[in-house]
Amino acid sequence: MALIDDVKNELRVSGADFDNEIQGLIDAVKLEMKSKGLDETKINNDDALVRQAIILYCKANFGWDNPEAERFQNRYEMTLNHMLLSGEYEVTA
């Protein structure tokens, strides 16, 4: 299943009405992860932890009235920090 389909499933969105917004969030979080120092090959491969971080970011930032946004944002940041501290996801020379 494609990443956007997984994200849409987690957001409980069907159809294509929000595809541009969701793809924009996916693109933004990938750029953020890269700018924080995560290896781009890890970001773009089908890594379960990266996928979960992307889903959490999208759940935090999709829509306007999300009472759980802060909780999902905190979980995203915790997951991102875990990846950064593990050394397994950092850019290697």
Side-chain angles (χ1 to χ4, degrees), residues 21 24 46 59:
E21 181 179 354
D46 194 28
K59 288 179 94 165

Side-chain angles (χ1 to χ4, degrees), residues 14-93:
S14 60
D17 291 346
F18 298 101
D19 281 6
N20 287 339
E21 181 179 354
I22 294 168
Q23 188 61 56
L25 290 171
I26 292 169
D27 295 342
V29 71
K30 285 182 171 185
L31 286 173
E32 179 177 324
M33 285 193 250
K34 183 179 173 188
S35 74
K36 299 269 182 164
L38 291 183
D39 187 344
E40 191 171 5
T41 58
K42 292 273 190 178
I43 295 168
N44 292 320
N45 287 340
D46 194 28
D47 182 274
L49 196 54
V50 171
R51 181 175 288 264
Q52 184 61 30
I54 291 169
I55 289 168
L56 289 166
Y57 179 91
C58 291
K59 288 179 94 165
N61 292 285
F62 180 75
W64 296 102
D65 294 323
N66 181 356
E68 299 293 325
E70 186 175 348
R71 182 172 72 94
F72 288 123
Q73 184 66 30
N74 288 338
R75 293 287 311 221
Y76 161 70
E77 290 172 9
M78 288 172 50
T79 304
L80 180 62
N81 286 336
H82 169 76
M83 289 188 290
L84 290 168
L85 292 172
S86 74
E88 195 174 319
Y89 293 85
E90 66 187 355
V91 175
T92 56

